[in-house]
């Protein structure tokens, strides 16, 4: 413990932020006085620096090398700035944005000061805006890089640092996309070589606020995705989930002709504590309950939920029975994929999704004479697909206008969904009808998650090792005919830590560790034919339950 206390005091000596200096000093003093809780907490603050990878940085806000704070952001930005200097020379053009989480504003200010001191042209967006607006600005302003301070849908205690490359720093397919290897490792090496935070030069010269021009351009572009000049008659319930998407989303909806919008008041304004939800993720059970209550009250046609940084979008619909149902990420991907495939005015000839997403998108693409690509998980891979017209991942992320936003965009997806609901309503049809049509045409592709959140990461490694050793013989009574270790790579995909199982019946399971959370994630898909008009959703749900039980048993969890 003496070593950790000395490490903490050395960190305090170089921490440029008075608040975290005081926080860490008090913790070190208590640890030195042999307070067990303080000793444990201090050890967790210095169990290694936050790892900079393809997700950038992400962690709990607080003092110390293992937390998100001004010192960590300063050194991370020094590493990024050095990478840009080494690869592009002086004068890089960098866009900065941030959400409304704890620490976001000072972290953005720190990043701006570091970049400016290296001679970069720093373009700062107005604060508390969605992540896709930063991705849009990288392309719209022809920036060489972009930084977004956000932890997306992580718990309230967290914040993060996300990096995009553009302009001269990448090729056309990667312009405005999150970093991938080898750039992540090259930036990480420069972060490790950066001086202590208080020795990193800062400047205010060369920092240029963009004002509202970029915001207006983004809203104009998003709203233009609905081309019908007539006002829509549908009624929408919207929740921004205490995040930063509410204002921009409402502007876009209004400009696109959606005038009947009801916002969940308790979740309308940014609040970094996310007080009405247990976990600020629209996918989590209960997260959209307030929106569903409002939808029933006002007899809405659709519920749209944005995650806190508005790069993801969830949807709920009323059924013929009168009940409401939240769609899966794959179902939203299917209807948006069909919408994109049927629209010949949209550029690109490829529909793309992650390998863990439903195989239905491939069938939709083939039916329309388009290409299909399955990539590694994450939009850093999906969005850089050559010729992409539409891309999605099952974790409710959708890229519906790649020329403008080369990343997932919840606000843009919202407009596409609302347009689809409106177009179908004019035909006397619903999203439920469209999903049934797709099932009859291509087979019912039912998907479901199975996740294990752990406090000890070794449990994940143990589970993967058990599967690699023992395998899975059958799923839901059907023999496994293909067992593929994705770590070996293939002609289509580079190596990744995952296992794929395909049964004789056509069902599929993929098991992989999460890249951003302490979870082992299993992606289940059952495919059932439709006889006549009947869509066997109950039978599909029962088969998914059987697959879920078989996978759980095989993992030993």
């Amino acid at each position: 413990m003496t070593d950790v206390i000395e490490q903490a005091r050395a960190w305090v000596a170089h921490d440029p932020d008075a608040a975290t200096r005081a926080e860490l000093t008090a913790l070190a003093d208590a640890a030195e006085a042999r307070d067990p809780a303080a000793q444990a907490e201090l050890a967790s603050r210095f169990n290694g620096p936050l790892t900079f990878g393809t997700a950038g940085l992400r962690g709990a806000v607080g003092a110390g090398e293992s937390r998100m704070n001004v010192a960590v952001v300063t050194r991370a930005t020094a590493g990024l700035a050095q990478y840009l200097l080494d690869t592009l020379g002086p004068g890089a053009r960098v866009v900065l944005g941030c959400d409304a989480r704890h620490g976001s504003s000072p972290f953005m200010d720190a990043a701006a000061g570091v970049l400016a001191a290296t001679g970069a042209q720093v373009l700062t967006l107005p604060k508390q805006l969605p992540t896709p607006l930063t991705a849009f600005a990288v392309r719209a302003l022809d920036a060489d890089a972009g930084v977004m301070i956000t932890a997306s849908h992580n718990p309230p205690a967290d914040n993060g640092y996300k990096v995009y490359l553009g302009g001269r720093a990448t090729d056309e397919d990667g312009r405005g996309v999150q970093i991938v290897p080898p750039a992540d490792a090259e930036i990480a090496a420069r972060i490790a070589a950066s001086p202590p935070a208080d020795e990193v030069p800062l400047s205010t010269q060369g920092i240029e606020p963009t004002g509202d021009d970029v915001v207006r351009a983004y809203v104009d572009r998003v709203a233009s995705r609905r081309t019908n000049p007539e006002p829509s008659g549908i009624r929408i319930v919207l929740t921004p989930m205490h995040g930063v998407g509410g204002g921009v989303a409402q502007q876009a909806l209004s400009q696109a002709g959606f005038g009947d919008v009801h916002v969940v008041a308790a979740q309308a304004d940014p609040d970094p504590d996310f007080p009405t939800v247990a976990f600020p993720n629209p996918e989590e059970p209960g997260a959209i309950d307030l929106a569903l209550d409002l939808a029933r009250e006002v007899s809405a046609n659709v519920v749209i939920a944005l995650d806190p940084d508005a790069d993801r979008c969830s949807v709920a619909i009323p059924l013929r029975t009168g009940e409401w149902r939240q769609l899966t990420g794959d179902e939203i991907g299917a209807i948006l994929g069909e919408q994109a495939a049927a629209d010949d005015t949209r550029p690109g000839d490829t529909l793309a999704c992650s390998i863990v997403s439903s195989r239905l998108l491939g069938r939709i693409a083939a039916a329309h004479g388009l290409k299909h690509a399955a990539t590694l998980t994450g939009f850093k891979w999906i969005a850089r697909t050559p010729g992409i017209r539409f891309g999605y991942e099952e974790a409710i992320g959708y890229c519906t206008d790649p020329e403008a936003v080369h990343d997932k965009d919840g606000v843009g997806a919202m407009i596409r969904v609302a347009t689809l609901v409106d177009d179908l309503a004019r035909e006397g049809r619903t999203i439920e009808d469209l999903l049934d049509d797709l099932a009859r045409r291509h087979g019912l592709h039912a998907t479901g998650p199975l996740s294990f959140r752990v406090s000890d990461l070794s449990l994940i490694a143990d589970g993967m090792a058990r599967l690699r050793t023992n395998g899975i013989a059958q799923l839901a009574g059907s023999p496994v005919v293909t067992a593929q270790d994705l770590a070996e790579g293939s002609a289509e995909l580079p190596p990744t830590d995952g296992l794929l199982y395909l049964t004789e019946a056509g069902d599929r399971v993929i098991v992989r560790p999460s890249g951003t959370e302490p979870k082992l994630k299993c992606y289940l898909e059952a495919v059932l034919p439709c006889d006549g008009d009947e869509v066997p959703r109950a039978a599909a749900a029962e088969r998914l339950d059987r697959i879920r039980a078989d996978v759980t048993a095989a993992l030993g969890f």
Side-chain angles (χ1 to χ4, degrees), residues 15 55 109 127 130 216 226 252 254 422 440 443 456 478 509 516:
D15 188 340
D109 292 343
K127 293 179 177 178
R216 280 194 293 268
R226 179 175 186 255
S254 176
D422 181 57
R440 295 185 190 106
D456 180 358
S478 180
V509 169
T516 57

Side-chain angles (χ1 to χ4, degrees), residues 33 49-50 64 72 90 93 110 112 141 192 199 211 220 322 328 360 394 397 406-407 429 449 481 494 519 548:
L50 287 182
V72 166
R93 187 175 172 90
L141 300 176
E199 297 175 14
D220 288 347
T328 67
L360 177 56
E394 50 72 42
H406 227 46
D407 196 13
R429 286 160 43 80
V481 294
K519 279 183 178 181
R548 193 173 281 113

Side-chain angles (χ1 to χ4, degrees), residues 31-294:
E32 199 164 41
R34 301 190 177 181
D35 179 332
Q39 289 181 339
E41 178 63 20
L42 194 65
S44 77
R45 304 287 184 104
F46 288 91
N47 63 359
L50 287 182
T51 302
F52 187 91
T54 49
L57 296 170
R58 198 169 287 188
V61 175
E65 69 170 8
S66 308
R67 298 288 188 268
M68 282 293 297
N69 50 64
V70 169
V72 166
V73 168
T74 296
R75 296 189 72 246
T77 309
L80 172 62
Q82 190 60 52
Y83 171 81
L84 294 173
L85 280 171
D86 292 344
T87 55
L88 305 177
R93 187 175 172 90
V94 186
V95 171
L96 300 183
C98 74
D99 66 11
R101 282 180 175 265
H102 293 296
S104 285
S105 180
F107 295 169
M108 178 174 163
D109 292 343
V114 173
L115 286 160
T118 68
Q121 182 184 11
V122 183
L123 307 173
T124 57
L125 295 168
K127 293 179 177 178
Q128 299 192 6
L129 287 175
T131 291
L133 212 151
T134 298
F136 171 82
V138 171
R139 290 175 69 86
L141 300 176
D142 195 25
D144 298 308
V147 173
M148 179 68 190
I149 306 296
T150 180
S152 190
H153 56 281
N154 269 41
D158 289 1
N159 211 327
Y161 184 100
K162 183 179 293 188
V163 177
Y164 298 86
L165 293 180
R168 300 170 296 152
T170 187
D171 59 16
E172 180 57 32
D173 290 329
R175 215 162 54 85
V177 185
Q178 296 174 54
I179 55 172
V180 294
D184 57 343
E186 293 173 1
I187 295 170
R190 287 163 175 82
I191 294 171
S194 295
D198 64 333
E199 297 175 14
V200 174
L202 302 173
S203 176
T204 57
Q205 299 298 312
I207 300 176
E208 304 174 22
T210 63
D212 293 328
D213 290 350
V214 176
V215 181
R216 280 194 293 268
Y218 171 78
V219 170
D220 288 347
R221 178 73 183 219
V222 169
S224 72
R225 295 172 191 170
R226 179 175 186 255
T227 57
N228 189 337
E230 297 181 14
S232 169
I234 69 167
R235 180 167 296 154
I236 298 170
V237 164
L238 170 69
T239 174
M241 201 71 64
H242 298 295
V244 294
V248 169
Q250 289 176 77
Q251 291 176 48
L253 285 167
S254 176
Q255 197 164 312
F258 298 102
D260 195 352
V261 179
H262 299 254
V263 181
V264 177
Q267 299 175 334
D269 297 325
D271 187 332
D273 294 319
F274 307 105
T276 68
V277 292
F279 202 95
N281 179 353
E283 294 179 291
E284 292 290 325
I288 68 164
D289 282 358
L290 292 179
L292 291 174
D293 289 343
L294 181 57

Side-chain angles (χ1 to χ4, degrees), residues 360 433-445 528-530 534-537:
L360 177 56
D433 295 326
L434 177 57
L435 286 169
D436 286 350
D437 287 347
L438 291 172
R440 295 185 190 106
R441 201 175 303 152
H442 305 296
L444 175 59
H445 289 62
L528 282 74
C530 294
E534 183 184 355
V535 178
R537 298 195 183 279

